[in-house]
Amino acid sequence: MGISAKQWLTLIHEMPISQPIKIMNVCGGHERSITMSGIRGALPKNIELIPGPGCPVCICPEEDIYQAIQLSLHEDIILVAYGDMLRVPVNVKKSEARTLEQAKAAGARIKPIASPMDVIQIAEQNPDDTVVFFAAGFETTTAPTAAMIAQGVPDNLKILLSGRLTWPAIHVLLSSDSPGFNALVAPGHVATIMGPQEWAFVVEDFNLPAAVAGFSPESLLAATYSVIRQFESGKPFLDNCYPEVVKPTGNVGAQKMLSEVMTVVDATWRGVGTIPKSGFALSEPYRYLDVNEHFPGYHDDARKRAGEMPPGCDCAKVVMGEIYPNECRLYGKACVPRHPIGPCMVSDEGACRIWWAHTKR
Amino acid sequence: MCLGIPMQVKSIDQFVAQCEAKGVSREVNLFMLQGESVEVGDFVMVHVGYAIEKMTEQDARSSWELYDEMLATLSAGETDA
């Protein structure tokens, strides 16, 4: 048997901790486990766990969601998207559709999906219609999209790709004047696909502790213990506290599919701006699937300016770990899961939604 | 959309497997595990319907226990104003 969560906590409490340590996580699944299991409150007072840019729905560019809404309203298509994306609001006049859900209510044909396999099924069931897959997500959802494409898709399927890589956002934070954290717990399933080495820059370029974690309290506490110990010893290294799933190389087959089907490009993050080499685009041989090749004129670069969070919403600060969810002025007042203002309250992986659902009120 | 679910492979037809987790059955795509030998009885970590890695039975079972706890908390606690 491995070490239990209680034993990890004891080990952490027994460690001398010379100064406050702020540990960022980059995964909605991590934040959910941390919040639900009450780990945050069980740690020594000088250990802070900060939810970082771990919610793909939250940082999905406003202009991409706007494009999906407009396509669904003005073209004779079926638009499919992960369910979380349907309620994310864009910044438009109240008379216009603010979400894909509202576009659907106005008559657009929009279907929520849970897997790229659902996308193929819908395209095959509707051979006379063009089906557009609004494919937002981090590596864990973008790699299956790449696999779907590599396996072959029906002719009537087009893609609005909005995939993002997680590590560049951490690189941006660490390169800034005030990163706001001094240790990192890296996302277990991103590392499962891309390999843990993707996170080595935290140690090599910034001399900070890093540990890949799984989703159980035991694995998260093991990673927390590891980064504290690394910090105190002054000898950071990249630890893998989820070896049962994360191989040293990651999933090499999936990485090959990603690099064949997609290229890495500079990309916009909602509320953050452009992050170099943080997005996926279809590579040349697969460009024919790009929705922009078939329905030009819907991608509005000018919206990048408007693509901030809704007025009064602090999701951008929450996403980048600058404030905790309950420090937003709208949290739990104007913004609750049933009437979300910002994307962090919409998605199951949004820190605001997670905190609200688990009694941080 | 990012939650990984461990599932057990019950049958395989080319790149599509019937998999099961705690009595719930669904189709899982094995295309991302082409380099691995996946057999009936194996456990895989599934993301958005695609198996991303193999795992042991023990690890799969401990993940299921965690999800049980999470679901119990969710059904007891998720109310919004």
Side-chain angles (χ1 to χ4, degrees), chain A residues 82 116 133 135 138-153 159 161 193-194 253-263 280-283 286 289, chain B residues 29 31-32 34 48 50:
Chain A
Y82 289 106
F133 176 23
F138 286 144
E139 297 92 329
T140 45
T141 32
T142 306
T145 301
M148 175 196 78
I149 294 169
Q151 201 173 1
V153 298
I159 295 168
L161 184 58
I193 291 171
M194 307 303 282
Q255 292 163 30
K256 270 170 87 174
M257 269 176 237
L258 267 172
S259 59
E260 183 197 322
V261 173
M262 298 176 189
T263 52
F280 291 102
L282 291 163
S283 63
Y286 297 92
L289 292 170
Chain B
N29 191 303
F31 204 66
M32 287 169 71
Q34 284 180 68
V48 293
Y50 282 65

Side-chain angles (χ1 to χ4, degrees), chain A residues 19-38:
Chain A
Q19 56 178 300
I21 304 176
K22 295 184 174 191
I23 306 168
M24 178 169 275
N25 73 68
V26 205
C27 176
H30 278 173
E31 182 54 29
R32 194 186 299 119
S33 276
I34 288 167
T35 304
M36 289 182 74
S37 60

Side-chain angles (χ1 to χ4, degrees), chain A residues 36 57 115-117 140-141 151 189 215 242 244-245 247 251 257 336-338 349 353 356-357 361, chain B residues 1-3 15 27 29 31-32 34 36 45 47-50 52-53 59 66 70 73 78-81:
Chain A
M36 289 182 74
V57 174
S115 164
M117 286 198 296
T140 45
T141 32
Q151 201 173 1
H189 288 151
F215 299 84
Y242 193 31
E244 58 270 35
V245 178
K247 291 181 178 170
N251 183 333
M257 269 176 237
V336 291
R338 206 165 286 166
E349 290 158 80
R353 174 74 180 262
W356 183 256
R361 301 185 185 182
Chain B
M1 70 172 89
C2 247
L3 188 67
F15 289 117
E27 279 188 355
N29 191 303
F31 204 66
M32 287 169 71
Q34 284 180 68
E36 309 238 7
M45 179 59 80
H47 254 266
V48 293
Y50 282 65
I52 61 168
E53 198 51 88
D59 293 326
L66 172 70
M70 283 167 57
T73 314
E78 180 131 355
T79 53
D80 51 13

